[in-house]
Amino acid sequence: MKTVTVVIFDGVQSLDVSGPLDVFSEANRFLLPGDRYRLQTVSVDGVAVTCSNGLGLNAGLTWRDADGEDDLLLVAGGPTLVERRFDPAIHAWLRQACARAGKFGSICNGAFMLGRAGLLDHRTVTTHWNDAAALAALCPLARVEADRIYVQDEGLYTSAGVTAGIDLALYLLRQDHGAELALNVAKRLVVAMQRSGGQSQFSPYLDHLAPPDSPIAEVQRHVLANLRQPLSVAELAAVARMSLRSFSRSFSREAGMAPAEFVQRARIDAARAQLEHGTAPIKAIAYACGFGDAGRMRNAFVRVLGVSPQRYRESFGQDLGT
């Protein structure tokens, strides 16, 4: 019997805890007694903790009482974890527990707790897309892949935000007992066995616009209002009343990407909104958003989001039958 342990704390995201544990709990329905998982939670804040949504949880153990017999140890995430500092003794315990466990890792931004314990150096990891830059700054020796649903680096397993913990648990279950069992559990939980694409399909691209009074902001407004037009870099430089060279430098500095990339992502964002909330044909959306034809839009979606427009609509459209 393998022991799966989830580390929790005050302010933990409840789904980071219950999602992965439910995967292994459902798996126990299909497994012989000797192959089943023993599931437990270990708190670093006392037995009783309050989740970020107000739900109360009682951990099976505190970190001081943990037996160290974990086969898989996962640190859950929570909204406060990016900034939170734990006692050095907790980090020391976590390092020892992860060293003893056959496999260890994190769900969502639980990676920050691993990072502060020194467990991510020279490793490839992921976390919630919104916290990826902060994790990279905290752990400069780690390689943070912001667009992955989950990442395995030898015995270290990290996952993206919230429900990605379920994806990771299914992946771990498949490693232990094969694809058929993992598929049966996914069916019982009514979740996808393996989601297409990366985290980009869930994150807003246009959330870091230039200051409103900046010439670059004027260009961005022009782009968003004229997506059907060619929108060449020369045209955009003219809107900003700058030379081509000065404009390209200024735009990249203020927007964090090249002008052409902003145009492409603005078109993708507009297309995403139409795919999510409307039933217009994909060809019509491609034209309305400035891609010219459905093939170009498909190439852009696959390159940036990792999924085709049709698959995106099937996953996120309000009318899943369209």
Side-chain angles (χ1 to χ4, degrees):
M1 181 174 284
K2 292 185 175 181
T3 297
V4 176
T5 299
V6 177
V7 178
I8 65 174
F9 48 87
D10 260 327
V12 70
Q13 178 95 35
S14 62
L15 194 54
D16 284 4
V17 183
S18 61
L21 287 179
D22 275 347
V23 169
F24 295 108
S25 178
E26 289 294 331
N28 283 344
R29 295 172 178 261
F30 300 96
L31 295 170
L32 294 173
D35 293 328
R36 290 172 184 162
Y37 294 95
R38 180 170 74 102
L39 308 176
Q40 65 179 17
T41 50
V42 173
S43 173
V44 295
D45 279 328
V47 171
V49 302
T50 302
C51 299
S52 59
N53 62 4
L55 179 70
L57 289 181
N58 285 328
L61 298 165
T62 68
W63 65 278
R64 297 181 186 278
D65 304 318
D67 56 23
E69 296 180 358
D70 316 298
D71 295 283
L72 170 64
L73 185 146
L74 295 172
V75 179
T80 64
L81 206 56
V82 175
E83 302 295 336
R84 184 167 177 189
R85 302 296 191 272
F86 290 94
D87 189 288
I90 292 176
H91 288 155
W93 163 78
L94 185 60
R95 286 191 295 271
Q96 293 171 3
C98 291
R100 287 193 300 263
K103 300 175 180 178
F104 71 97
S106 59
I107 301 141
C108 194
N109 62 14
F112 282 80
M113 191 172 178
L114 295 179
R116 291 193 173 98
L119 291 165
L120 301 186
D121 289 351
H122 309 292
R123 310 299 289 267
T124 300
V125 299
T126 193
T127 188
H128 191 289
W129 61 267
N130 197 48
D131 297 327
L135 182 63
L138 175 69
C139 305
L141 298 181
R143 178 180 177 184
V144 180
E145 296 193 346
D147 198 39
R148 300 283 294 279
I149 298 294
Y150 54 78
V151 172
Q152 177 184 358
D153 185 333
E154 298 180 346
L156 169 63
Y157 299 78
T158 53
S159 66
V162 194
T163 57
I166 296 174
D167 296 89
L168 175 60
L170 287 168
Y171 175 68
L172 288 159
L173 182 61
R174 188 165 70 244
Q175 287 187 331
D176 286 348
H177 297 288
E180 184 176 357
L181 177 61
L183 180 59
N184 285 333
V185 170
K187 287 179 178 178
R188 286 191 62 87
L189 296 176
V190 197
V191 297
M193 178 62 195
Q194 183 170 354
R195 283 189 277 182
S196 301
Q199 294 190 72
S200 297
Q201 57 193 295
F202 311 110
S203 60
Y205 274 117
L206 302 179
D207 58 348
H208 295 296
L209 298 176
D213 57 349
S214 163
I216 301 305
E218 183 180 351
V219 171
Q220 290 175 326
R221 290 191 290 269
H222 177 82
V223 168
L224 296 176
N226 296 277
L227 289 176
R228 289 189 185 184
Q229 305 306 315
L231 298 173
S232 67
V233 177
E235 176 188 342
L236 301 183
V239 171
R241 295 176 291 279
M242 295 181 179
S243 70
L244 193 60
R245 185 175 180 181
S246 295
F247 168 71
S248 295
R249 285 201 306 266
S250 297
F251 193 99
S252 296
R253 182 175 62 252
E254 293 191 33
M257 63 184 71
E261 184 69 9
F262 179 85
V263 170
Q264 181 84 303
R265 296 194 175 197
R267 286 176 170 146
I268 290 172
D269 214 52
R272 286 171 58 186
Q274 293 196 40
L275 291 167
E276 290 170 10
H277 302 293
T279 59
I282 288 176
K283 288 182 179 179
I285 294 174
Y287 175 75
C289 295
F291 290 102
D293 60 57
R296 289 193 181 93
M297 185 167 96
R298 186 185 190 283
N299 290 340
F301 264 63
V302 171
R303 180 179 69 83
V304 175
L305 302 183
V307 293
S308 68
Q310 182 61 39
R311 178 62 64 85
Y312 187 90
R313 168 172 272 171
E314 289 168 358
S315 299
F316 300 106
Q318 290 184 350
D319 182 357
L320 298 182
T322 61

